[in-house]
Amino acid sequence: MTEALRLLVSLDPELWGIVLLSLGVSGTAVLLSALLGVPAGAALALWEVPGAAWVARFTYTLMGLPPILAGLVVFLVLSARGPLGHLQLLFTPTAMVLAQTLLVLPIVTGLTLAGVRSKDRAIRELALSLGATQWQAAWRVVLEARRAIGAALMAGFGRAIAEVGAVMLVGGNVRGHTRVMTTAILLETRQGNFEVAIGLGLVLLAVAFAVNAAFYRWQEGA
Amino acid sequence: MPAPAFRLEGLVKSYGGRRVLDLESLEVDAGSVWAIVGPSGAGKTTLLRLLNGLEKPDAGRIWFFGQELTAANGLPALEVRRRMTMVFQTPVLFTATVAENVAYGLRVRGVDQGSVARRVARALDLVGLAGTERRGARSLSAGEAQRVSLARALVVEPEVLLLDEPTANLDPANAAIIESLLRRASGEMGVTVVLVTHNLFQARRVADHTGFLLDGRLVETGPTREFFERPADPRTRAFIRGEMVF
């Protein structure tokens, strides 16, 4: 543990690279999930599309998707004989982003759906009664659910930054290339370097805390 | 003779097989203040929601200033909807400042920034909440919240104002403020007011016409004074005397 802290404080480039890659991969996965999942969740909540109930159930189910399964799917798609094998993305950070997006997207979609739905009726009718168009009213509902949507993004980030199975499988834990905090912890543990492993775990927690704190502050101000 | 603000004919609305509203006819003159009284579950709120276009009748028609309100599908046309606003029983405020709440109706209508600020200030002044623009809507008391709701509904200068038990959850002082504002809105701005209430005293104080709704049917309507002093229907008499058992 002292070892990890020492590395961190001494600005060890390898450790910082690992931290930054973790943030980059998980952050990008959350960003992609936000771009796709927030509109999707809001749409599912606001419009009575045929089959929407089934899509919602499916989404909620996927919120519990095991990371290793998400990794496996992306692995098969990106592997040499897979449909996207020619892109040669396996064992790259891009593959890790894709796998984590698969994990985070259902969470963002599902929690956005639930958050928007809880605001839906009263706010929408109020907006309409004040002369809003359907679109303006829908947008207002989404705005009112902004805290719930923020919480959805944070939950997604928590899942992404903490998971090991998917990034291990599709990233391969290549030193200096695809090694992130969780896979580094796994490696150190297997090698018996428990002190370093625990130290890295604390670093992971500290990073998650910092991101959450920053986000919370931003949301309070919004 | 100008077209009435509302003309209803053969209006029927059911929920889950239960007929909650069954009105033969009703005319609300432009510029009048109507109170619809009746016990809970009489269909008062449903009637307002139909007038506002939030619900569609199963049968019958509604004319709004001579124009058919009920669209074949979905909500009434936007230009029509924008001529009326509604205040709900529980004040629903957006999670935003007081000013942003009051400004909403102006914003969605694309009113320019400068006039928005001016009109919001004037509307808040009208409801006795001048200078509260920057306060968070959540920090308001129930009475203040309902007055903000009223300011928000009046700021767009609607031709018709619909109110669903606007003072049911308020203390007498705030209720009195709301009532006097309704009189002013009618007297000074010429707004047609349709007020749903179970409070007979309020109907008597505020309305110039009153209708009694019972089990989805209009039992009796008339000028308020006549309605209360010489009710024609024995059920109205019983309701006014507080003898009606629900």
Side-chain angles (χ1 to χ4, degrees):
Chain A
M1 179 173 153
T2 40
E3 174 65 10
L5 288 181
R6 192 188 61 71
L7 290 173
L8 197 65
V9 173
S10 66
L11 299 176
D12 178 77
E14 187 180 351
L15 178 56
W16 278 100
I18 289 173
V19 171
L20 287 180
L21 184 65
S22 281
L23 283 174
V25 167
S26 298
T28 310
V30 170
L31 189 70
L32 283 177
S33 301
L35 290 176
L36 298 170
V38 172
L44 282 172
L46 290 169
W47 282 287
E48 288 165 16
V49 199
W54 284 104
V55 178
R57 265 167 238 170
F58 189 61
T59 305
Y60 288 137
T61 307
L62 285 183
M63 284 170 71
L65 182 70
I68 193 74
L69 208 53
L72 182 60
V73 170
V74 173
F75 184 91
L76 292 176
V77 170
L78 296 183
S79 63
R81 276 181 286 171
L84 297 179
H86 59 282
L87 297 176
Q88 297 192 312
L89 288 173
L90 205 56
F91 307 123
T92 66
T94 307
M96 296 155 76
V97 167
L98 288 178
Q100 289 201 339
T101 302
L102 208 55
L103 287 174
V104 176
L105 184 59
I107 293 181
V108 172
T109 308
L111 294 182
T112 298
L113 193 163
V116 170
R117 193 169 273 171
S118 72
K119 301 275 182 186
D120 181 15
R121 194 174 153 137
I123 292 292
R124 179 158 35 175
E125 289 189 346
L126 172 65
L128 290 174
S129 80
L130 292 170
T133 64
Q134 293 274 22
W135 280 104
Q136 287 169 330
W139 174 240
R140 191 68 229 183
V141 174
V142 172
L143 272 185
E144 288 295 309
R146 61 190 182 269
R147 277 165 199 278
I149 292 171
L153 296 180
M154 282 329 293
F157 180 77
R159 180 159 163 88
I161 198 89
E163 73 85 21
V164 57
V167 282
M168 190 75 203
L169 196 58
V170 303
N173 194 27
V174 182
R175 184 176 183 181
H177 183 47
T178 59
R179 181 165 298 168
V180 289
M181 283 188 281
T182 52
T183 53
I185 291 172
L186 187 67
L187 183 75
E188 298 296 346
T189 307
R190 279 186 181 154
Q191 293 180 344
N193 301 328
F194 298 121
E195 281 205 348
V196 179
I198 290 178
L200 279 167
L202 289 176
V203 171
L204 178 62
L205 279 177
V207 167
F209 178 80
V211 170
N212 273 287
F215 187 83
Y216 187 78
R217 215 187 144 106
W218 173 75
Q219 203 175 29
E220 283 303 290
Chain B
M1 189 69 189
F6 286 110
R7 191 156 78 79
L8 282 54
E9 215 178 79
L11 211 58
V12 176
K13 182 73 188 176
S14 306
Y15 292 117
R18 201 175 77 87
R19 188 168 280 208
V20 289
L21 205 63
D22 188 353
L23 296 188
E24 269 176 35
S25 69
L26 177 69
E27 271 192 27
V28 173
D29 284 336
S32 62
V33 178
W34 266 80
I36 303 291
V37 298
S40 317
K44 306 191 296 291
T45 298
T46 304
L47 174 59
L48 273 196
R49 293 172 61 83
L50 287 167
L51 294 181
N52 200 21
L54 287 174
E55 305 262 358
K56 286 200 305 179
D58 300 332
R61 298 163 82 180
I62 302 172
W63 287 268
F64 178 69
F65 290 104
Q67 198 176 348
E68 177 122 36
L69 182 69
T70 34
N73 227 322
L75 292 164
L78 186 63
E79 319 82 71
V80 177
R81 284 200 288 121
R82 285 189 170 167
R83 295 167 67 183
M84 56 180 148
T85 51
M86 178 148 157
V87 172
F88 296 83
Q89 177 170 358
T90 327
V92 185
L93 295 181
F94 301 125
T95 314
T97 63
V98 167
E100 285 170 70
N101 266 280
V102 177
Y104 186 77
L106 299 172
R107 290 261 159 74
V108 296
R109 285 166 176 77
V111 175
D112 69 277
Q113 197 67 32
S115 0
V116 167
R118 196 161 32 79
R119 288 170 73 172
V120 165
R122 206 168 52 198
L124 284 172
D125 188 47
L126 182 75
V127 301
L129 289 169
T132 59
E133 278 94 338
R134 296 177 69 89
R135 277 179 67 184
R138 284 180 170 191
S139 71
L140 301 173
S141 71
E144 291 169 330
Q146 194 58 296
R147 279 148 67 194
V148 168
S149 303
L150 191 56
R152 184 174 58 186
L154 286 174
V155 75
V156 299
E157 293 168 10
E159 289 166 70
V160 172
L161 178 64
L162 306 170
L163 303 108
D164 187 4
E165 302 270 10
T167 64
N169 305 319
L170 301 189
D171 57 285
N174 270 301
I177 294 174
I178 302 262
E179 286 179 13
S180 82
L181 285 168
L182 295 185
R183 294 260 31 145
R184 281 184 67 185
S186 161
E188 294 168 26
M189 299 160 68
V191 180
T192 307
V193 177
V194 180
L195 164 75
V196 150
T197 180
H198 65 262
N199 183 338
L200 292 169
F201 300 103
Q202 181 166 68
R204 224 171 164 157
R205 282 190 297 263
V206 175
D208 42 48
H209 281 79
T210 302
F212 175 40
L213 198 61
L214 182 67
D215 295 330
R217 290 169 178 275
L218 262 181
V219 172
E220 183 166 355
T221 63
T224 298
R225 179 183 272 262
E226 231 169 85
F227 179 92
F228 281 100
E229 288 176 5
R230 289 183 297 282
D233 195 286
R235 288 169 295 174
T236 314
R237 273 201 293 280
F239 183 70
I240 289 171
R241 291 198 198 117
E243 292 166 357
M244 186 162 276
V245 183
F246 308 125

